[in-house]
Amino acid sequence: MPKSHKKHDIFRAALKLFSRYGYKKTTVEDVAAELGMTKSNLYFYVASKRDLYEQSIRHALKQWRDSVAAAIAEKNDVVEKFKVMALTSFQYLADDEELRSILIMDPAIFTLTPAEDRFYEINQGAMLLIKDILVQGINEGRFYDIDVDHTTQFLFSVYIMFLIKTYIKSEGVSAFRMYEEGTALVLRGLCRSHS
Amino acid sequence: MPKSHKKHDIFRAALKLFSRYGYKKTTVEDVAAELGMTKSNLYFYVASKRDLYEQSIRHALKQWRDSVAAAIAEKNDVVEKFKVMALTSFQYLADDEELRSILIMDPAIFTLTPAEDRFYEINQGAMLLIKDILVQGINEGRFYDIDVDHTTQFLFSVYIMFLIKTYIKSEGVSAFRMYEEGTALVLRGLCRSHS
DNA sequence: ATTTGAATTATTGATTCATTTGTTCAAATA
DNA sequence: TATTTGAACAAATGAATCAATAATTCAAAT
């Protein structure tokens, strides 16, 4: 079995247990047992319990981002791209119960501030998805000639805020309606002409 | 001295000490001493240490809201009102160092979720300021015919988010530029015609 | 109506200790 | 060589205790 696939199994097993019992209550031995190996062998793949935890989350976050990127790639029209991005990136969490559960137990994973973001590179990748759409919209003359970087940061912050509101604190339906209304408002603020 | 003015003094003194030492490190006796009274007498005005703390914050938050309301009342044009609201409500904290300091020590004062908001009524008042502007804009035909309640919630959430980013985590200048860019974007999304 | 001193009750912080859990590593195995 | 193991060691944790500090009450005084 290739090592990368083995790591995939490890991270998925770890995520499963961490999401059920939380970081503290989950022992390295629990994870090893779930994988049918000894705990000392787990240390062949990760540096520490903390490392196992962070890498497991990293792994899940990357899958999320790639899934959104794939959905965007299917569209050509900028406005469609924007809408798909807003929707799928938001909906994704509804399906991954384990990741959602971890996020609730460890809300610091979603931070409003880049400086204390443990998953900075991954989120940078997510912001790039937004930025590319803004750039395309501006180049095609469909979006106003805005400050791309600051608007990207603005939109990403709003997005993170809604994830927190919807999934971490669970405002559910109400937050989703706000998200719809907000997305529409923002899209009007971006587009030169409205249909 | 009227009782309400006495309470004002008490809350201001308490805020001063709480902002300097934090909730735990500040004793009821410290506050009493600052006011030149005994701690048992302080209990004539408040129910508990917690009550003293919460009321002090409540007091400060009300002043803030009233200050913003006054600034808005000076303008007639909706767009001007919106701009003034966005600016003064954001700038206010820059001047009240004590409140800012408390907010940093107790970030839960600003929550993204109404359900766990200890200062719900006060924030409802703040949201009313936004709502009134939206209603005026729609009635005058200058804003799109949006869902007022959800848009109000959306804008208030975005506003709180920026307060957190700017004053609690201190992203300072960068966050302020985002706020400007965001405000402009939102205003374009609201307005029917752009100049 | 407001203030006080003294007494009571509730919290907190420091300390200890037994137990669990995280981590390392030399030797074994495939 | 890459992976796995068991045994040993080190670090973290939770429970229990206790003294000190701080919160709260209240009858009496102003």
Side-chain angles (χ1 to χ4, degrees):
Chain A
M1 186 188 300
K3 194 162 179 177
S4 72
H5 191 279
K6 183 112 195 180
K7 283 204 169 187
H8 172 88
D9 288 348
I10 290 173
F11 296 146
R12 213 55 219 186
L15 202 76
K16 175 180 170 186
L17 294 184
F18 282 131
S19 75
R20 185 174 314 164
Y21 304 116
Y23 181 78
K24 261 171 55 180
K25 292 279 187 190
T26 303
T27 69
V28 175
E29 196 149 26
D30 288 338
V31 178
E34 173 80 19
L35 289 157
M37 61 169 71
T38 61
K39 60 174 174 173
S40 46
N41 190 36
L42 244 191
Y43 279 89
F44 183 73
Y45 296 96
V46 299
S48 65
K49 181 186 181 183
R50 196 80 219 169
D51 181 48
L52 173 59
Y53 180 69
E54 303 280 308
Q55 283 208 63
S56 299
I57 294 171
R58 210 170 295 270
H59 182 74
L61 292 180
K62 272 182 191 155
Q63 282 188 208
W64 181 3
R65 192 197 54 197
D66 292 347
S67 160
V68 173
I72 294 175
E74 283 182 2
K75 304 284 181 182
N76 290 312
D77 184 76
V78 242
V79 172
E80 286 305 309
K81 278 190 180 183
F82 189 89
K83 284 180 179 171
V84 160
M85 175 182 65
L87 201 67
T88 64
S89 62
F90 193 74
Q91 272 292 133
Y92 183 93
L93 259 194
D95 301 325
D96 193 337
E97 193 175 326
E98 282 174 12
L99 182 56
R100 214 171 57 224
S101 171
I102 292 236
L103 257 20
I104 291 168
M105 290 183 183
D106 183 0
I109 292 171
F110 279 157
T111 175
L112 288 177
T113 87
E116 59 188 24
D117 189 352
R118 286 137 66 196
F119 307 96
Y120 183 74
E121 342 79 49
I122 295 175
N123 283 329
Q124 282 299 106
M127 285 176 68
L128 210 56
L129 298 179
I130 299 177
K131 186 175 176 178
D132 286 347
I133 292 178
L134 293 185
V135 168
Q136 182 184 342
I138 293 169
N139 286 342
E140 292 179 355
R142 303 195 52 193
F143 288 176
Y144 288 102
D145 198 7
I146 48 173
D147 176 334
V148 174
D149 287 322
H150 284 102
T151 303
T152 299
Q153 283 177 40
F154 173 81
L155 294 176
F156 187 69
S157 298
V158 170
Y159 165 61
I160 292 292
M161 181 191 72
F162 272 103
L163 291 180
I164 294 172
K165 285 179 83 80
T166 307
Y167 296 111
I168 296 183
K169 337 287 174 119
S170 38
E171 296 185 56
V173 182
S174 171
F176 186 66
R177 274 261 42 228
M178 275 174 64
Y179 188 70
E180 287 182 313
E181 202 65 28
T183 304
L185 175 69
V186 162
L187 202 48
R188 275 199 308 276
L190 286 172
C191 287
R192 277 211 139 87
S193 61
H194 310 134
S195 57
Chain B
M1 185 188 300
K3 195 162 178 176
S4 73
H5 191 279
K6 184 110 195 180
K7 283 204 169 188
H8 172 88
D9 288 347
I10 289 173
F11 296 146
R12 213 55 218 185
L15 202 76
K16 177 179 170 186
L17 294 183
F18 282 131
S19 76
R20 186 174 313 164
Y21 303 117
Y23 181 78
K24 261 171 55 179
K25 292 278 187 191
T26 303
T27 67
V28 175
E29 195 149 27
D30 287 339
V31 178
E34 173 79 19
L35 289 157
M37 62 169 71
T38 61
K39 59 176 172 170
S40 45
N41 189 35
L42 205 41
Y43 279 90
F44 182 74
Y45 296 97
V46 299
S48 64
K49 181 185 181 182
R50 197 79 221 169
D51 181 49
L52 173 61
Y53 180 69
E54 303 280 310
Q55 283 208 63
S56 299
I57 294 172
R58 211 169 294 271
H59 183 74
L61 292 180
K62 272 181 191 153
Q63 282 187 209
W64 181 4
R65 194 197 52 198
D66 292 348
S67 159
V68 174
I72 293 175
E74 283 182 0
K75 303 285 181 182
N76 290 312
D77 184 76
V78 243
V79 173
E80 286 305 309
K81 279 191 178 183
F82 189 88
K83 284 180 180 170
V84 160
M85 176 183 64
L87 201 67
T88 64
S89 61
F90 193 74
Q91 273 290 133
Y92 183 93
L93 258 193
D95 300 325
D96 192 338
E97 194 175 326
E98 282 173 12
L99 183 55
R100 214 171 57 223
S101 170
I102 293 234
L103 256 21
I104 291 168
M105 291 182 183
D106 183 0
I109 292 171
F110 280 158
T111 174
L112 288 177
T113 87
E116 58 188 27
D117 188 352
R118 286 136 67 196
F119 306 96
Y120 184 73
E121 342 77 48
I122 297 175
N123 282 330
Q124 283 298 109
M127 284 176 68
L128 210 56
L129 298 180
I130 299 176
K131 187 174 175 178
D132 285 347
I133 292 178
L134 292 185
V135 168
Q136 182 184 343
I138 293 168
N139 286 341
E140 293 179 356
R142 301 193 55 191
F143 288 176
Y144 288 102
D145 197 7
I146 47 174
D147 176 333
V148 173
D149 287 322
H150 285 102
T151 303
T152 299
Q153 284 177 40
F154 174 80
L155 294 176
F156 187 69
S157 298
V158 170
Y159 165 61
I160 292 291
M161 181 191 72
F162 272 102
L163 291 180
I164 294 172
K165 285 178 84 81
T166 309
Y167 295 110
I168 297 183
K169 337 286 174 122
S170 37
E171 296 185 56
V173 182
S174 171
F176 186 64
R177 275 264 39 231
M178 275 174 64
Y179 188 70
E180 287 182 314
E181 203 64 29
T183 304
L185 176 68
V186 163
L187 203 48
R188 276 199 307 278
L190 286 173
C191 286
R192 276 210 140 88
S193 62
H194 310 136
S195 57

PDB file of all heavy atoms in Angstrom, chain A residues 177 181 184-185 188, chain B residues 133-135 137-138 143-152 155 186 189-192:
ATOM      1  N   ARG A 177     -30.750  31.989   5.323  1.00  0.00           N
ATOM      2  CA  ARG A 177     -31.512  33.038   4.644  1.00  0.00           C
ATOM      3  C   ARG A 177     -30.682  34.331   4.593  1.00  0.00           C
ATOM      4  O   ARG A 177     -30.633  35.020   3.593  1.00  0.00           O
ATOM      5  CB  ARG A 177     -32.845  33.309   5.367  1.00  0.00           C
ATOM      6  CG  ARG A 177     -33.977  32.400   4.946  1.00  0.00           C
ATOM      7  CD  ARG A 177     -34.908  33.061   3.912  1.00  0.00           C
ATOM      8  NE  ARG A 177     -34.219  33.800   2.877  1.00  0.00           N
ATOM      9  CZ  ARG A 177     -34.535  35.033   2.482  1.00  0.00           C
ATOM     10  NH1 ARG A 177     -35.527  35.672   3.036  1.00  0.00           N
ATOM     11  NH2 ARG A 177     -33.845  35.638   1.543  1.00  0.00           N
ATOM     12  N   GLU A 181     -29.477  36.311   1.238  1.00  0.00           N
ATOM     13  CA  GLU A 181     -29.727  37.747   1.076  1.00  0.00           C
ATOM     14  C   GLU A 181     -28.403  38.495   0.914  1.00  0.00           C
ATOM     15  O   GLU A 181     -28.279  39.394   0.077  1.00  0.00           O
ATOM     16  CB  GLU A 181     -30.492  38.262   2.304  1.00  0.00           C
ATOM     17  CG  GLU A 181     -31.275  39.534   2.089  1.00  0.00           C
ATOM     18  CD  GLU A 181     -32.427  39.388   1.099  1.00  0.00           C
ATOM     19  OE1 GLU A 181     -32.969  38.272   0.969  1.00  0.00           O
ATOM     20  OE2 GLU A 181     -32.754  40.398   0.436  1.00  0.00           O
ATOM     21  N   ALA A 184     -26.764  37.853  -2.535  1.00  0.00           N
ATOM     22  CA  ALA A 184     -27.443  38.632  -3.572  1.00  0.00           C
ATOM     23  C   ALA A 184     -27.009  40.102  -3.519  1.00  0.00           C
ATOM     24  O   ALA A 184     -26.702  40.720  -4.551  1.00  0.00           O
ATOM     25  CB  ALA A 184     -28.947  38.518  -3.393  1.00  0.00           C
ATOM     26  N   LEU A 185     -26.964  40.629  -2.303  1.00  0.00           N
ATOM     27  CA  LEU A 185     -26.554  42.028  -2.102  1.00  0.00           C
ATOM     28  C   LEU A 185     -25.144  42.259  -2.620  1.00  0.00           C
ATOM     29  O   LEU A 185     -24.875  43.213  -3.368  1.00  0.00           O
ATOM     30  CB  LEU A 185     -26.627  42.361  -0.610  1.00  0.00           C
ATOM     31  CG  LEU A 185     -26.140  43.736  -0.153  1.00  0.00           C
ATOM     32  CD1 LEU A 185     -27.087  44.824  -0.645  1.00  0.00           C
ATOM     33  CD2 LEU A 185     -26.022  43.799   1.367  1.00  0.00           C
ATOM     34  N   ARG A 188     -24.912  42.171  -6.442  1.00  0.00           N
ATOM     35  CA  ARG A 188     -25.364  43.442  -7.030  1.00  0.00           C
ATOM     36  C   ARG A 188     -24.280  44.506  -6.901  1.00  0.00           C
ATOM     37  O   ARG A 188     -24.079  45.326  -7.786  1.00  0.00           O
ATOM     38  CB  ARG A 188     -26.637  43.941  -6.347  1.00  0.00           C
ATOM     39  CG  ARG A 188     -27.925  43.365  -6.899  1.00  0.00           C
ATOM     40  CD  ARG A 188     -29.127  44.220  -6.515  1.00  0.00           C
ATOM     41  NE  ARG A 188     -29.189  44.486  -5.072  1.00  0.00           N
ATOM     42  CZ  ARG A 188     -29.716  43.662  -4.175  1.00  0.00           C
ATOM     43  NH1 ARG A 188     -30.253  42.512  -4.554  1.00  0.00           N
ATOM     44  NH2 ARG A 188     -29.723  43.985  -2.897  1.00  0.00           N
TER      45      ARG A 188
ATOM     46  N   ILE B 133     -32.786  53.026   8.445  1.00  0.00           N
ATOM     47  CA  ILE B 133     -32.150  53.570   7.239  1.00  0.00           C
ATOM     48  C   ILE B 133     -32.568  52.770   6.005  1.00  0.00           C
ATOM     49  O   ILE B 133     -32.897  53.341   4.962  1.00  0.00           O
ATOM     50  CB  ILE B 133     -30.611  53.580   7.395  1.00  0.00           C
ATOM     51  CG1 ILE B 133     -30.217  54.604   8.468  1.00  0.00           C
ATOM     52  CG2 ILE B 133     -29.932  53.909   6.069  1.00  0.00           C
ATOM     53  CD1 ILE B 133     -28.728  54.678   8.743  1.00  0.00           C
ATOM     54  N   LEU B 134     -32.570  51.450   6.126  1.00  0.00           N
ATOM     55  CA  LEU B 134     -32.988  50.614   4.997  1.00  0.00           C
ATOM     56  C   LEU B 134     -34.423  50.940   4.586  1.00  0.00           C
ATOM     57  O   LEU B 134     -34.723  51.117   3.395  1.00  0.00           O
ATOM     58  CB  LEU B 134     -32.873  49.128   5.350  1.00  0.00           C
ATOM     59  CG  LEU B 134     -31.460  48.569   5.550  1.00  0.00           C
ATOM     60  CD1 LEU B 134     -31.509  47.068   5.775  1.00  0.00           C
ATOM     61  CD2 LEU B 134     -30.560  48.906   4.363  1.00  0.00           C
ATOM     62  N   VAL B 135     -35.304  51.047   5.573  1.00  0.00           N
ATOM     63  CA  VAL B 135     -36.713  51.346   5.292  1.00  0.00           C
ATOM     64  C   VAL B 135     -36.850  52.697   4.585  1.00  0.00           C
ATOM     65  O   VAL B 135     -37.556  52.816   3.576  1.00  0.00           O
ATOM     66  CB  VAL B 135     -37.544  51.342   6.597  1.00  0.00           C
ATOM     67  CG1 VAL B 135     -38.927  51.928   6.355  1.00  0.00           C
ATOM     68  CG2 VAL B 135     -37.664  49.922   7.142  1.00  0.00           C
ATOM     69  N   GLY B 137     -34.607  54.233   2.806  1.00  0.00           N
ATOM     70  CA  GLY B 137     -34.048  54.111   1.458  1.00  0.00           C
ATOM     71  C   GLY B 137     -35.016  53.441   0.491  1.00  0.00           C
ATOM     72  O   GLY B 137     -35.148  53.861  -0.662  1.00  0.00           O
ATOM     73  N   ILE B 138     -35.678  52.413   0.972  1.00  0.00           N
ATOM     74  CA  ILE B 138     -36.640  51.699   0.128  1.00  0.00           C
ATOM     75  C   ILE B 138     -37.856  52.588  -0.159  1.00  0.00           C
ATOM     76  O   ILE B 138     -38.297  52.697  -1.299  1.00  0.00           O
ATOM     77  CB  ILE B 138     -37.084  50.385   0.804  1.00  0.00           C
ATOM     78  CG1 ILE B 138     -35.898  49.417   0.884  1.00  0.00           C
ATOM     79  CG2 ILE B 138     -38.231  49.745   0.031  1.00  0.00           C
ATOM     80  CD1 ILE B 138     -36.146  48.220   1.776  1.00  0.00           C
ATOM     81  N   PHE B 143     -33.231  52.619  -2.623  1.00  0.00           N
ATOM     82  CA  PHE B 143     -32.663  51.282  -2.409  1.00  0.00           C
ATOM     83  C   PHE B 143     -33.528  50.250  -3.129  1.00  0.00           C
ATOM     84  O   PHE B 143     -34.727  50.481  -3.347  1.00  0.00           O
ATOM     85  CB  PHE B 143     -32.641  50.937  -0.910  1.00  0.00           C
ATOM     86  CG  PHE B 143     -31.616  51.707  -0.109  1.00  0.00           C
ATOM     87  CD1 PHE B 143     -31.552  51.546   1.269  1.00  0.00           C
ATOM     88  CD2 PHE B 143     -30.716  52.588  -0.712  1.00  0.00           C
ATOM     89  CE1 PHE B 143     -30.618  52.240   2.021  1.00  0.00           C
ATOM     90  CE2 PHE B 143     -29.786  53.288   0.038  1.00  0.00           C
ATOM     91  CZ  PHE B 143     -29.742  53.123   1.415  1.00  0.00           C
ATOM     92  N   TYR B 144     -32.929  49.131  -3.453  1.00  0.00           N
ATOM     93  CA  TYR B 144     -33.696  48.019  -4.014  1.00  0.00           C
ATOM     94  C   TYR B 144     -34.713  47.539  -2.989  1.00  0.00           C
ATOM     95  O   TYR B 144     -34.564  47.776  -1.778  1.00  0.00           O
ATOM     96  CB  TYR B 144     -32.769  46.868  -4.404  1.00  0.00           C
ATOM     97  CG  TYR B 144     -31.946  47.153  -5.628  1.00  0.00           C
ATOM     98  CD1 TYR B 144     -30.613  47.504  -5.523  1.00  0.00           C
ATOM     99  CD2 TYR B 144     -32.518  47.080  -6.888  1.00  0.00           C
ATOM    100  CE1 TYR B 144     -29.855  47.782  -6.640  1.00  0.00           C
ATOM    101  CE2 TYR B 144     -31.771  47.356  -8.030  1.00  0.00           C
ATOM    102  CZ  TYR B 144     -30.444  47.709  -7.895  1.00  0.00           C
ATOM    103  OH  TYR B 144     -29.712  47.989  -9.012  1.00  0.00           O
ATOM    104  N   ASP B 145     -35.714  46.852  -3.463  1.00  0.00           N
ATOM    105  CA  ASP B 145     -36.776  46.379  -2.579  1.00  0.00           C
ATOM    106  C   ASP B 145     -36.371  45.062  -1.912  1.00  0.00           C
ATOM    107  O   ASP B 145     -36.899  43.993  -2.225  1.00  0.00           O
ATOM    108  CB  ASP B 145     -38.058  46.195  -3.406  1.00  0.00           C
ATOM    109  CG  ASP B 145     -39.273  46.122  -2.492  1.00  0.00           C
ATOM    110  OD1 ASP B 145     -39.106  46.342  -1.266  1.00  0.00           O
ATOM    111  OD2 ASP B 145     -40.366  45.834  -3.003  1.00  0.00           O
ATOM    112  N   ILE B 146     -35.419  45.172  -0.992  1.00  0.00           N
ATOM    113  CA  ILE B 146     -34.828  43.993  -0.364  1.00  0.00           C
ATOM    114  C   ILE B 146     -35.626  43.489   0.842  1.00  0.00           C
ATOM    115  O   ILE B 146     -36.528  44.165   1.313  1.00  0.00           O
ATOM    116  CB  ILE B 146     -33.407  44.322   0.129  1.00  0.00           C
ATOM    117  CG1 ILE B 146     -33.464  45.667   0.893  1.00  0.00           C
ATOM    118  CG2 ILE B 146     -32.445  44.403  -1.035  1.00  0.00           C
ATOM    119  CD1 ILE B 146     -32.208  46.059   1.556  1.00  0.00           C
ATOM    120  N   ASP B 147     -35.245  42.326   1.311  1.00  0.00           N
ATOM    121  CA  ASP B 147     -35.795  41.764   2.551  1.00  0.00           C
ATOM    122  C   ASP B 147     -35.149  42.525   3.720  1.00  0.00           C
ATOM    123  O   ASP B 147     -33.998  42.299   4.070  1.00  0.00           O
ATOM    124  CB  ASP B 147     -35.429  40.275   2.602  1.00  0.00           C
ATOM    125  CG  ASP B 147     -35.869  39.605   3.898  1.00  0.00           C
ATOM    126  OD1 ASP B 147     -35.979  40.291   4.932  1.00  0.00           O
ATOM    127  OD2 ASP B 147     -36.091  38.391   3.869  1.00  0.00           O
ATOM    128  N   VAL B 148     -35.908  43.438   4.302  1.00  0.00           N
ATOM    129  CA  VAL B 148     -35.336  44.354   5.298  1.00  0.00           C
ATOM    130  C   VAL B 148     -34.744  43.626   6.508  1.00  0.00           C
ATOM    131  O   VAL B 148     -33.612  43.892   6.909  1.00  0.00           O
ATOM    132  CB  VAL B 148     -36.396  45.376   5.784  1.00  0.00           C
ATOM    133  CG1 VAL B 148     -35.839  46.203   6.931  1.00  0.00           C
ATOM    134  CG2 VAL B 148     -36.824  46.269   4.650  1.00  0.00           C
ATOM    135  N   ASP B 149     -35.496  42.696   7.075  1.00  0.00           N
ATOM    136  CA  ASP B 149     -35.032  42.047   8.300  1.00  0.00           C
ATOM    137  C   ASP B 149     -33.745  41.242   8.098  1.00  0.00           C
ATOM    138  O   ASP B 149     -32.800  41.371   8.875  1.00  0.00           O
ATOM    139  CB  ASP B 149     -36.140  41.152   8.861  1.00  0.00           C
ATOM    140  CG  ASP B 149     -37.261  41.987   9.491  1.00  0.00           C
ATOM    141  OD1 ASP B 149     -36.934  43.013  10.116  1.00  0.00           O
ATOM    142  OD2 ASP B 149     -38.438  41.615   9.345  1.00  0.00           O
ATOM    143  N   HIS B 150     -33.727  40.439   7.048  1.00  0.00           N
ATOM    144  CA  HIS B 150     -32.525  39.627   6.846  1.00  0.00           C
ATOM    145  C   HIS B 150     -31.326  40.474   6.429  1.00  0.00           C
ATOM    146  O   HIS B 150     -30.192  40.166   6.794  1.00  0.00           O
ATOM    147  CB  HIS B 150     -32.792  38.510   5.833  1.00  0.00           C
ATOM    148  CG  HIS B 150     -33.610  37.400   6.415  1.00  0.00           C
ATOM    149  ND1 HIS B 150     -34.949  37.251   6.163  1.00  0.00           N
ATOM    150  CD2 HIS B 150     -33.269  36.403   7.274  1.00  0.00           C
ATOM    151  CE1 HIS B 150     -35.405  36.192   6.829  1.00  0.00           C
ATOM    152  NE2 HIS B 150     -34.407  35.664   7.515  1.00  0.00           N
ATOM    153  N   THR B 151     -31.582  41.524   5.671  1.00  0.00           N
ATOM    154  CA  THR B 151     -30.473  42.389   5.281  1.00  0.00           C
ATOM    155  C   THR B 151     -29.932  43.149   6.499  1.00  0.00           C
ATOM    156  O   THR B 151     -28.719  43.315   6.654  1.00  0.00           O
ATOM    157  CB  THR B 151     -30.907  43.378   4.191  1.00  0.00           C
ATOM    158  OG1 THR B 151     -31.417  42.656   3.072  1.00  0.00           O
ATOM    159  CG2 THR B 151     -29.732  44.227   3.738  1.00  0.00           C
ATOM    160  N   THR B 152     -30.845  43.560   7.375  1.00  0.00           N
ATOM    161  CA  THR B 152     -30.415  44.210   8.610  1.00  0.00           C
ATOM    162  C   THR B 152     -29.514  43.277   9.410  1.00  0.00           C
ATOM    163  O   THR B 152     -28.426  43.662   9.843  1.00  0.00           O
ATOM    164  CB  THR B 152     -31.630  44.594   9.477  1.00  0.00           C
ATOM    165  OG1 THR B 152     -32.452  45.508   8.758  1.00  0.00           O
ATOM    166  CG2 THR B 152     -31.181  45.232  10.781  1.00  0.00           C
ATOM    167  N   LEU B 155     -26.112  42.950   7.677  1.00  0.00           N
ATOM    168  CA  LEU B 155     -25.235  44.107   7.851  1.00  0.00           C
ATOM    169  C   LEU B 155     -24.717  44.214   9.286  1.00  0.00           C
ATOM    170  O   LEU B 155     -23.540  44.505   9.511  1.00  0.00           O
ATOM    171  CB  LEU B 155     -25.965  45.389   7.454  1.00  0.00           C
ATOM    172  CG  LEU B 155     -26.317  45.481   5.971  1.00  0.00           C
ATOM    173  CD1 LEU B 155     -27.134  46.747   5.694  1.00  0.00           C
ATOM    174  CD2 LEU B 155     -25.065  45.473   5.105  1.00  0.00           C
ATOM    175  N   VAL B 186     -21.258  47.148  -0.390  1.00  0.00           N
ATOM    176  CA  VAL B 186     -22.615  46.972   0.130  1.00  0.00           C
ATOM    177  C   VAL B 186     -23.519  48.125  -0.326  1.00  0.00           C
ATOM    178  O   VAL B 186     -24.662  47.900  -0.734  1.00  0.00           O
ATOM    179  CB  VAL B 186     -22.589  46.893   1.665  1.00  0.00           C
ATOM    180  CG1 VAL B 186     -23.974  47.132   2.245  1.00  0.00           C
ATOM    181  CG2 VAL B 186     -22.051  45.534   2.113  1.00  0.00           C
ATOM    182  N   GLY B 189     -24.599  47.632  -3.655  1.00  0.00           N
ATOM    183  CA  GLY B 189     -25.588  46.560  -3.701  1.00  0.00           C
ATOM    184  C   GLY B 189     -26.962  47.010  -3.238  1.00  0.00           C
ATOM    185  O   GLY B 189     -27.966  46.399  -3.574  1.00  0.00           O
ATOM    186  N   LEU B 190     -26.978  48.084  -2.467  1.00  0.00           N
ATOM    187  CA  LEU B 190     -28.256  48.605  -1.952  1.00  0.00           C
ATOM    188  C   LEU B 190     -28.918  49.567  -2.931  1.00  0.00           C
ATOM    189  O   LEU B 190     -30.133  49.532  -3.141  1.00  0.00           O
ATOM    190  CB  LEU B 190     -28.035  49.340  -0.619  1.00  0.00           C
ATOM    191  CG  LEU B 190     -27.762  48.522   0.636  1.00  0.00           C
ATOM    192  CD1 LEU B 190     -27.395  49.453   1.794  1.00  0.00           C
ATOM    193  CD2 LEU B 190     -28.965  47.670   1.009  1.00  0.00           C
ATOM    194  N   CYS B 191     -28.101  50.439  -3.511  1.00  0.00           N
ATOM    195  CA  CYS B 191     -28.627  51.572  -4.284  1.00  0.00           C
ATOM    196  C   CYS B 191     -29.081  51.208  -5.694  1.00  0.00           C
ATOM    197  O   CYS B 191     -28.402  50.465  -6.400  1.00  0.00           O
ATOM    198  CB  CYS B 191     -27.574  52.671  -4.384  1.00  0.00           C
ATOM    199  SG  CYS B 191     -27.349  53.567  -2.849  1.00  0.00           S
ATOM    200  N   ARG B 192     -30.201  51.788  -6.073  1.00  0.00           N
ATOM    201  CA  ARG B 192     -30.753  51.549  -7.417  1.00  0.00           C
ATOM    202  C   ARG B 192     -29.871  52.194  -8.486  1.00  0.00           C
ATOM    203  O   ARG B 192     -29.567  51.580  -9.491  1.00  0.00           O
ATOM    204  CB  ARG B 192     -32.158  52.149  -7.501  1.00  0.00           C
ATOM    205  CG  ARG B 192     -33.243  51.237  -6.974  1.00  0.00           C
ATOM    206  CD  ARG B 192     -34.541  51.520  -7.718  1.00  0.00           C
ATOM    207  NE  ARG B 192     -35.269  50.296  -8.020  1.00  0.00           N
ATOM    208  CZ  ARG B 192     -36.151  49.715  -7.205  1.00  0.00           C
ATOM    209  NH1 ARG B 192     -36.410  50.266  -6.028  1.00  0.00           N
ATOM    210  NH2 ARG B 192     -36.757  48.598  -7.549  1.00  0.00           N
TER     211      ARG B 192
END
